[in-house]
């Protein structure tokens, strides 16, 4: 019998009823080419050996699992552990799929990577991959985000990427996606689109999940070695959903392990105040695939809001919609305030400054720990908080 990961999605890229590929006709042959190359290369020993080498000698994998003893004590219940993706090169899990996308481009004979970025984290990770593989890199970014996230613009440029400012509409992520896709259509013969999460048309949700699954496979082995058992609960924040799918992939066959996705509740549960797509969204289409989406009264993607700009997306990876529907993963929320408290607590108690995105998973673990004194919780610390320091300290100070 094939495992969940082998059999999901199906050949058309459907996770149950979610996923698929709704593409403009000129892109159909290019996505077919990407899918064929991925299917072939993901079984090739040379490709897998190259990836293994890069992960060990460039990214610094495996990243450790840390027992957060002080935070567990503070929370007064379950023992909390963290998978340390903050220690992955460039400071977050995103490099796991960006290096693999770069390697894929190289093996396909492509000479360029193109993508959009919101806060700039994905752009920096992809520009890093491009520098490593000697590929050109073109990153589309809204003019509003360019101003707000200037240090990441500087990083991308230092890494050799061209940053294309996008002045249309609200000048943020959605317009950047449209602009990057438009540019890609004209260059698809020599460029690869480097999607930033488990989103987009097939085969990207499949590829990015499999590239990120290294996180879960490492974590399962490490946790077993540390404790002799599997964790009772596994949790990760969900924006597009890549760090969560990476961690979940390691435990999806272990029915005793409860899986939790944690979404940003922002300032309230009112539409426009949060980005909790799995909790408050409905079935719909966005950016070429079928999933759950947050929509306004006209059926257009709704405005979203959270302190953590990496979670600011009105859609979600199709696999999450599927895993919720079949009851394998539960989706919960953490709001700005709880996540900020968790950000300070992890910094002060454990000496780890988390990304505001990851702080949502920490907040969930701290809350649940109280209710489950005999359990163990493993969370994904998807990234480090260097990028958030100025914003947090200028806006909220140093915590108590
Ligand atoms: C981008 C980002 C996320 C959100 O992306 P997912 O695809 O939902 O994982 C989470 N954490 C960090 C640190 C990020 O940079």
């Amino acid at each position: 019998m094939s495992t969940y990961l082998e059999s999901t999605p199906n050949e058309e890229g459907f996770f149950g009823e979610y996923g698929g590929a709704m593409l403009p006709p000129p892109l159909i042959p290019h996505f077919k080419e990407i899918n064929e190359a991925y299917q072939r290369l993901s079984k090739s020993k040379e490709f897998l050996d190259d990836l293994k080498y890069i992960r060990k000698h460039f990214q610094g994998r495996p990243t450790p699992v840390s027992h957060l003893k002080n935070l567990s004590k503070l929370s007064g219940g379950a023992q909390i552990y963290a998978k340390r993706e903050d220690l992955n090169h460039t400071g977050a899990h995103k490099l796991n799929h960006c290096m693999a996308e770069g390697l894929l481009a190289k093996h396909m004979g492509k000479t360029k990577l193109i993508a959009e970025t919101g806060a700039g984290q994905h752009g920096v990770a992809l520009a890093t991959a491009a520098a490593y593989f000697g590929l050109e890199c073109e990153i589309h970014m809204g003019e509003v985000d360019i101003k707000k996230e200037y240090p990441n613009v500087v990083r991308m440029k230092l890494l050799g990427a061209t940053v294309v400012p996008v002045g249309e509409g609200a000048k943020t992520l959605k317009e950047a996606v449209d602009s990057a896709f438009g540019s890609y259509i004209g260059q698809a013969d020599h460029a690869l689109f480097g999607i930033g999460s488990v989103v987009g048309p097939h085969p990207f949700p499949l590829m990015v999940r499999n590239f990120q699954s290294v996180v879960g496979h490492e974590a399962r082995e490490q946790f077993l070695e540390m404790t002799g058992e599997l964790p009772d609960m596994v949790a990760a924040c969900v924006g597009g959903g890549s760090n969560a799918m990476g961690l979940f992939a390691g435990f999806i066959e272990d029915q005793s392990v409860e899986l939790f996705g944690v979404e940003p509740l922002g300032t309230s549960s009112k539409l426009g105040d949060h980005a909790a797509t799995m909790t408050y969204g409905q079935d719909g289409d966005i950016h070429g695939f079928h999933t759950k989406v947050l929509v306004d009264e006209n059926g257009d993607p709704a405005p979203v809001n959270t302190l953590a700009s990496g979670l600011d997306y009105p859609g979600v990876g199709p696999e999450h919609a599927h895993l919720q529907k079949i009851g394998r993963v539960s989706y919960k929320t953490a709001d700005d305030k709880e996540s900020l408290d968790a950000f300070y607590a992890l910094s002060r108690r454990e000496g780890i400054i988390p990304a505001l995105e990851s702080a949502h998973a920490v907040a969930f673990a701290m809350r649940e720990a109280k209710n489950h004194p005999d359990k163990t919780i493993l969370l994904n610390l998807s990234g480090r908080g260097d990028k958030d320091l100025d914003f947090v300290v200028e806006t909220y100070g140093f915590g108590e």
Side-chain angles (χ1 to χ4, degrees):
M1 219 179 73
S2 64
T3 63
Y4 169 87
L5 293 177
E6 287 162 356
S7 62
T8 321
N10 71 10
E11 279 185 19
E12 282 75 49
F14 281 94
F15 303 84
E17 66 197 78
Y18 300 102
M22 290 164 260
L23 291 162
L27 282 184
I28 293 172
H30 295 293
F31 273 67
K32 192 160 167 252
E33 181 201 3
I34 296 168
N35 189 35
E36 282 168 4
Y38 173 69
Q39 296 298 345
R40 178 169 47 81
L41 290 168
S42 61
K43 294 173 198 85
S44 132
K45 186 170 179 314
E46 188 198 348
F47 182 86
L48 295 174
D49 284 349
D50 284 354
L51 200 54
K52 215 185 253 175
Y53 180 92
I54 289 164
R55 285 170 173 168
K56 180 168 177 188
H57 297 287
F58 181 67
Q59 295 181 228
R61 305 202 69 89
T63 58
V65 166
S66 300
H67 184 185
L68 307 178
K69 292 180 188 158
N70 302 328
L71 200 75
S72 303
K73 204 166 166 195
L74 175 74
S75 305
Q79 293 304 309
I80 305 172
Y81 295 75
K83 175 64 171 164
R84 301 289 307 280
E85 290 305 293
D86 59 315
L87 296 176
N88 197 24
H89 178 45
T90 70
H93 72 287
K94 282 197 177 74
L95 200 66
N96 299 329
H97 65 255
C98 286
M99 291 307 290
E101 285 173 343
L103 187 64
L104 182 69
K106 200 79 188 167
H107 277 258
M108 289 175 75
K110 305 285 184 190
T111 56
K112 184 168 187 176
L113 295 171
I114 299 179
E116 79 294 339
T117 194
Q121 296 303 107
H122 175 56
V124 168
L126 202 68
T128 300
Y132 181 95
F133 290 108
L135 299 165
E136 280 182 79
C137 187
E138 177 184 311
I139 303 291
H140 295 244
M141 189 170 186
E143 284 174 358
V144 167
D145 290 330
I146 288 181
K147 274 209 194 97
K148 212 162 113 188
E149 311 287 351
Y150 199 70
N152 276 339
V153 177
V154 173
R155 287 185 188 103
M156 286 185 267
K157 287 185 173 170
L158 271 175
L159 292 161
T162 303
V163 179
V164 180
V166 181
E168 278 85 40
K171 305 175 192 181
T172 61
L173 180 61
K174 195 196 154 288
E175 292 77 24
V177 174
D178 297 339
S179 170
F181 241 89
S183 176
Y184 170 63
I185 290 177
Q187 308 183 64
D189 54 337
H190 66 275
L192 182 71
F193 200 93
I195 283 179
S197 186
V198 285
V199 297
H202 179 62
F204 282 95
L206 162 71
M207 286 192 329
V208 174
R209 176 199 70 193
N210 288 352
F211 293 149
Q212 285 293 346
S213 67
V214 65
V215 174
H217 293 310
E218 281 177 12
R220 188 180 189 280
E221 201 174 296
Q222 290 165 322
F223 195 92
L224 268 174
E225 196 185 297
M226 283 173 90
T227 69
E229 288 169 20
L230 288 173
D232 296 307
M233 302 164 74
V234 163
C237 66
V238 175
S242 64
N243 88 87
M245 275 322 307
L247 186 61
F248 295 169
F251 299 94
I252 199 115
E253 306 284 348
D254 300 311
Q255 294 304 326
S256 72
V257 179
E258 284 189 275
L259 306 176
F260 296 90
V262 186
E263 295 193 295
L265 192 60
T267 49
S268 93
S269 61
K270 202 169 118 253
L271 191 68
D273 282 354
H274 62 79
T277 312
M278 293 300 303
T279 310
Y280 298 108
Q282 60 192 66
D283 288 1
D285 300 331
I286 189 168
H287 291 139
F289 62 105
H290 188 58
T291 185
K292 290 186 84 167
V293 282
L294 287 168
V295 291
D296 64 16
E297 63 276 17
N298 302 320
D300 296 324
V304 279
N305 170 58
T306 153
L307 277 186
S309 44
L311 303 179
D312 221 356
Y313 185 56
V316 65
E319 190 161 18
H320 288 286
H322 173 60
L323 289 170
Q324 182 184 51
K325 184 147 269 187
I326 64 173
R328 180 64 187 96
V329 180
S330 305
Y331 293 85
K332 308 286 180 186
T333 60
D335 66 18
D336 283 354
K337 165 92 181 45
E338 286 179 285
S339 304
L340 205 55
D341 289 346
F343 174 92
Y344 288 123
L346 194 71
S347 303
R348 187 68 58 87
R349 307 281 173 158
E350 296 287 349
I352 303 171
I353 302 173
L356 283 173
E357 290 81 8
S358 324
H360 285 70
V362 179
F364 169 81
M366 291 175 69
R367 191 206 306 154
E368 284 301 310
K370 288 188 194 62
N371 307 329
H372 301 287
D374 307 325
K375 293 197 170 172
T376 52
I377 306 177
L378 171 66
L379 64 89
N380 202 1
L381 203 70
S382 53
R384 64 179 180 228
D386 302 34
K387 68 186 178 57
D388 300 313
L389 295 183
D390 290 349
F391 167 75
V392 169
V393 170
E394 277 166 25
T395 317
Y396 302 99
F398 288 92
E400 83 279 6

